[in-house]
Amino acid sequence: MKLGRRGFLGVAGFSGGLLLAGRPRAARAEEQGRGIPGEQESAVLVDTTRCVGCRGCEAACSEAHGLPPPDPDDKVFESRRSTSPDQFTVVNRFPGPAGAARPHFVKSQCMHCVSPACASACPVRALQKSPGGPVFYDGTRCLGCRYCMVACPFGVPRYQYEKAAPYVRKCDFCASRQAEGKAPACASVCPSGALTFGKRGELLDEAKRRIYGAQGAQPGRYLRRIYGEHEAGGTDWLYLSDIPSEELGLDDTIARESYPRMVDGALSVPPIVMALWPPLLMGLRQAAARRNRKAGGGEPGAPDGEEGEGHE
Amino acid sequence: MSDTAPAAGFDLRRQLLLGMTWRAYARSLLTPVNALAAVICGVGLAVVVWRFRAGLGATTNLTQAYPWGLWVGFDMLTGIALAAGGFTIGATIQFFGLEEYHAVERSAILAAWLGYMLEMTGVIIDLGRPWNIYQVFLHFGTTSMLFEVTWCVLCYTSVLTLEFSLPFFQWLGWKRAYAMMRKALLALTVLAVVFSTMHQSALGSLFLLTPGKLHPLWYSRFIFLFFLASSVVAGIGMIIVVYALSCRFFPKHLGGPRDSSKLVLGMGKAGALVGFAYFVLKVQGVVDGHAWDLLRTRWGLWFLVEVLGFVLAPVLLYAEGVRRRRAVLVQVAAGWALAGVVLNRLNVSVIAFNWRDPTPYVPRWTELMVSLTLVTVGVLAYRWIVNRMAILGERPALGPASQGD
């Protein structure tokens, strides 16, 4: 059985068509590596030395999103809480190292990465990075595959397992409020200045000012590290603190590079396979045909050289 | 030896009832095996209905930390690996020119086709919003490995369905359709190998994004090569095992005594070669990932169980079977190699995944039930088709002596 001209054109056309149609485009969130990633994106600087644990941010967030109000009793601090499908942000209390003057409070929510793993993982782009900063979710096209949950290194997306028609739930950076020029609900109610809303580039500068003590701020008060500056290739939520990150429940195993870039090599496999496999396979077949002819048989795929026969 | 022209015309009723009357056929179905299968499928179907009514929380042990469980790890990842026999046998015949494997070709293609059908069913059951599956045709998440898997699996299943249409058209007696598809078989096989390479490796690439969550002994930037190699290992294993089981349970359809030990030994050679290559790749992965020291940990012990006990050991048994010219050893090695691939897929997706989390994921009985039901349906469908179409040999003779279903 020969491939023939038509068969060849068929395979080549199909492969080539797929190649051109399926050309991978970089996720919109990909940075080109010039300057500070996400410099102009909206961001929040979380200063854990200023947070007093009032949990006003939790209350404001639930109100802004129509979620059930969080338990007002501070007994909740006794255990470590995570976000949930109905609570997009939580504040946890950490005792800090022995001899720490006071407990530390850390707010957790979606980090709104500059190059989000969840958005690059979603097969239907239900999660997307908007140029302004927020990583937002469109549930209407969500399949519920939960790959975003697998991909997110911070473990942020939460699933409504108890529902028959579940959605993925997480902080949306109050994208609708930001569209109206307002700060996110949490940052706008913070009484102690722990949450500062601004542009990522400016907030990185402000963080460095606080660390290095320019403009009258106390030098040496903070650790020389901004959590979120390089984590996951850079996040829009940045954290300053005076004690190490592992004392604050901030994950130090996060890679300091963009997660979507880890898939780049694999993304180029389809075009390479579509281009190389057909000639390689046909070459193998030619070699096999020659060997079969020497042994007295016919073309591969046609037992005894006959056409249209049943098998065995 | 033309089998495309049915002697007395295609009679659907005769085909469906295996040449028996309704009553005789119904009576022939009353076997212990069928009873067990009916129980499994009945409970399984009830669980599936429950899953769609009550949601995933009520019917699985999935958590926020473990979004993927048995249905992804087994039905999808393992299912696709075990269905790799389709492209493996196609490549063996069409590109390596090994004509003699025509004998096992159709059983392998059928098993692969059923495997993909069941895998897709398993995915639909696992998806939270499966009615949105059509969205992959509208919105292209081209940076997503899951997008690539979905599209490749859809394309490949179409190709596989066309390949399976050959025995199907032959059964119906549609000569022109059969001849047309026969001519297309080479092109279809090229596409099959292309699509399979892409999605079998992409299943591994799904985990490239998860270096912190997948244990370093299993995580590698080469994980897509591991998945591709192990899919060929699984393909070879399935071809051998499915054919062995078919010959054992459907001897009547072979059309007389057949000595397939030469074929089995040949496949054993391939199994040893590919299996050993896969073993070397896994070792290289540990070296490349600078994870050698981790072999001394408890996870390292588990890794060695997988790689030495379920990758290298079957390779040695394959080799021994070939050396001693004993087909049985090769068949046992094949089953063992398959178990190794199953173990690997489960390790990557649920066991060594989230390895830092103190609470491991254990599937609920409902999840096991659904997976078991899918496998049972696959076996029943295989039997139904083999009893009617020319899969193992000529088209089966029908009549009162036919087997129950």
Side-chain angles (χ1 to χ4, degrees):
Chain A
M1 182 187 359
K2 297 173 81 88
L3 181 58
R5 194 163 47 232
R6 278 205 207 115
F8 170 75
L9 285 174
V11 174
F14 193 81
S15 276
L18 275 179
L19 214 101
L20 294 170
R23 193 174 49 227
R25 295 186 295 280
R28 267 179 296 173
E30 273 309 310
E31 287 299 316
Q32 296 308 309
R34 284 191 287 275
I36 296 174
E39 200 171 355
Q40 292 303 317
E41 290 172 18
S42 45
V44 170
L45 178 61
V46 181
D47 190 331
T48 62
T49 67
R50 297 185 188 182
C51 180
V52 296
C54 70
R55 297 167 64 218
C57 48
E58 288 186 27
C61 173
S62 63
E63 199 186 309
H65 290 89
L67 300 168
D71 185 350
D73 191 337
D74 277 358
K75 278 184 75 173
V76 298
F77 281 137
E78 280 162 26
S79 58
R80 177 99 177 260
R81 291 177 301 151
S82 311
T83 55
S84 76
D86 279 334
Q87 189 167 7
F88 296 165
T89 186
V90 289
V91 178
N92 280 300
R93 181 177 68 194
F94 297 90
R102 54 177 183 80
H104 284 65
F105 298 95
V106 181
K107 177 185 187 295
S108 300
Q109 70 298 306
C110 174
M111 298 292 279
H112 296 281
C113 305
V114 170
S115 177
C118 61
S120 94
C122 181
V124 291
R125 300 233 154 115
L127 282 159
Q128 294 182 72
K129 173 78 169 177
S130 60
V135 177
F136 66 93
Y137 171 72
D138 177 4
T140 54
R141 55 171 92 157
C142 174
L143 310 176
C145 69
R146 309 182 302 282
Y147 188 33
C148 54
M149 298 173 71
V150 171
C152 175
F154 298 100
V156 161
R158 296 298 184 210
Y159 207 60
Q160 292 178 316
Y161 286 115
E162 71 283 3
K163 294 217 156 75
Y167 286 117
V168 172
R169 308 270 282 173
K170 70 173 191 74
C171 155
D172 64 350
F173 214 174
C174 285
S176 39
R177 284 177 59 105
Q178 288 199 41
E180 295 165 19
K182 299 188 224 167
C186 52
S188 58
V189 303
C190 179
S192 60
L195 302 177
T196 312
F197 177 66
K199 298 248 177 277
R200 188 170 191 266
E202 289 165 6
L203 289 177
L204 281 170
D205 287 344
E206 169 62 24
K208 287 168 189 169
R209 267 197 291 276
R210 293 187 202 180
I211 291 173
Y212 296 112
Q215 294 179 0
Q218 248 183 303
R221 184 195 155 121
Y222 295 96
L223 287 185
R224 262 184 303 186
R225 189 237 182 129
I226 307 167
Y227 186 87
E229 184 179 8
H230 300 298
E231 278 66 19
T235 61
D236 284 344
W237 276 72
L238 307 161
Y239 288 75
L240 275 180
S241 118
D242 57 346
I243 62 176
S245 48
E246 58 265 23
E247 308 275 359
L248 295 172
L250 292 172
D251 190 348
D252 255 334
T253 64
I254 306 286
R256 297 179 130 225
E257 55 175 306
S258 149
Y259 277 76
R261 297 306 290 269
M262 299 175 189
V263 184
D264 273 359
L267 282 176
S268 46
V269 166
I272 292 175
V273 169
M274 284 194 270
L276 281 184
W277 261 221
L280 276 175
L281 294 173
M282 295 310 290
L284 266 180
R285 188 182 153 83
Q286 285 294 86
R290 196 174 310 152
R291 189 183 65 230
N292 278 357
R293 268 198 296 276
K294 285 214 189 102
E299 291 272 327
D304 304 319
E306 290 177 56
E307 283 290 325
E309 282 303 323
H311 293 266
E312 282 278 79
Chain B
M1 202 183 56
S2 171
D3 199 44
T4 52
F10 178 77
D11 182 344
L12 184 63
R13 210 195 73 135
R14 238 182 84 81
Q15 289 293 326
L16 288 181
L17 303 181
L18 292 174
M20 297 185 260
T21 61
W22 276 105
R23 295 188 75 189
Y25 179 68
R27 238 177 304 142
S28 76
L29 288 178
L30 298 173
T31 66
V33 168
N34 284 356
L36 177 63
V39 168
I40 292 175
C41 292
V43 177
L45 187 61
V47 170
V48 170
V49 170
W50 184 20
R51 170 260 172 280
F52 280 110
R53 295 201 58 173
L56 288 167
T59 47
T60 66
N61 274 345
L62 297 175
T63 62
Q64 307 295 352
Y66 286 95
W68 281 358
L70 188 73
W71 291 345
V72 173
F74 184 77
D75 298 353
M76 182 172 137
L77 291 180
T78 310
I80 291 184
L82 295 187
F87 82 94
T88 311
I89 196 70
T92 303
I93 296 177
Q94 301 287 350
F95 305 121
F96 292 99
L98 301 174
E99 295 298 311
E100 56 270 32
Y101 290 96
H102 269 298
V104 305
E105 182 186 16
R106 283 191 172 184
S107 64
I109 299 252
L110 174 58
W113 183 74
L114 288 173
Y116 276 92
M117 291 295 128
L118 296 171
E119 174 267 329
M120 294 201 291
T121 311
V123 166
I124 296 286
I125 296 174
D126 178 75
L127 283 178
R129 304 177 71 81
W131 51 89
N132 266 350
I133 191 75
Y134 70 94
Q135 297 278 355
V136 292
F137 295 110
L138 298 178
H139 303 288
F140 299 162
T142 45
T143 51
S144 166
M145 274 293 127
L146 194 55
F147 177 78
E148 198 218 311
V149 168
T150 308
W151 267 89
C152 273
V153 168
L154 287 173
C155 290
Y156 178 63
T157 309
S158 313
V159 170
L160 199 48
T161 305
L162 292 176
E163 285 184 346
F164 173 62
S165 72
L166 274 169
F168 184 65
F169 290 151
Q170 195 179 10
W171 180 56
L172 293 176
W174 294 358
K175 287 171 74 174
R176 265 222 311 263
Y178 178 88
M180 195 174 62
M181 207 53 70
R182 191 85 175 77
K183 286 217 183 78
L185 194 57
L186 178 58
L188 286 177
T189 313
V190 172
L191 288 174
V193 177
V194 166
F195 287 139
S196 291
T197 307
M198 296 197 310
H199 73 256
Q200 295 283 2
S201 59
L203 287 175
S205 302
L206 286 175
F207 296 94
L208 284 173
L209 280 174
T210 64
K213 296 186 185 180
L214 180 58
H215 189 279
L217 281 172
W218 280 270
Y219 181 87
S220 164
R221 56 198 173 125
F222 298 122
I223 194 170
F224 63 95
L225 277 181
F226 302 165
F227 268 58
L228 181 59
S230 53
S231 76
V232 179
V233 169
I236 294 172
M238 277 299 272
I239 296 172
I240 296 172
V241 167
V242 168
Y243 190 64
L245 292 176
S246 303
C247 291
R248 161 83 174 74
F249 289 107
F250 304 103
K252 290 208 193 105
H253 300 319
L254 292 174
R258 175 191 298 180
D259 177 23
S260 45
S261 53
K262 242 190 91 184
L263 290 180
V264 175
L265 292 178
M267 290 191 275
K269 261 189 246 174
L273 281 171
V274 179
F276 189 68
Y278 173 48
F279 171 71
V280 170
L281 282 177
K282 289 281 270 187
V283 170
Q284 173 58 18
V286 173
V287 172
D288 179 78
H290 306 289
W292 200 258
D293 286 337
L294 293 176
L295 289 175
R296 275 186 235 126
T297 63
R298 296 230 326 250
W299 281 107
L301 183 62
W302 184 238
F303 180 79
L304 289 174
V305 165
E306 181 196 314
V307 174
L308 294 180
F310 286 88
V311 177
L312 186 61
V315 166
L316 297 176
L317 188 59
Y318 267 134
E320 190 61 14
V322 169
R323 195 180 72 85
R324 287 210 238 154
R325 309 190 75 77
R326 292 194 56 201
V328 154
L329 292 183
V330 168
Q331 287 160 343
V332 170
W336 200 348
L338 280 178
V341 176
V342 174
L343 180 59
N344 173 260
R345 297 299 189 265
L346 291 176
N347 273 339
V348 170
S349 57
V350 292
I351 300 177
F353 189 78
N354 254 347
W355 61 281
R356 275 187 253 263
D357 194 311
T359 32
Y361 157 83
V362 175
R364 203 178 291 192
W365 73 270
T366 40
E367 298 172 81
L368 290 162
M369 199 65 225
V370 168
S371 297
L372 178 63
T373 304
L374 288 175
V375 172
T376 306
V377 169
V379 171
L380 291 176
Y382 187 85
R383 183 179 67 175
W384 194 95
I385 293 175
V386 163
N387 276 339
R388 289 163 181 76
M389 301 186 202
I391 301 289
L392 295 176
E394 298 269 354
R395 194 161 63 194
L398 304 178
S402 302
Q403 306 178 17
D405 191 75

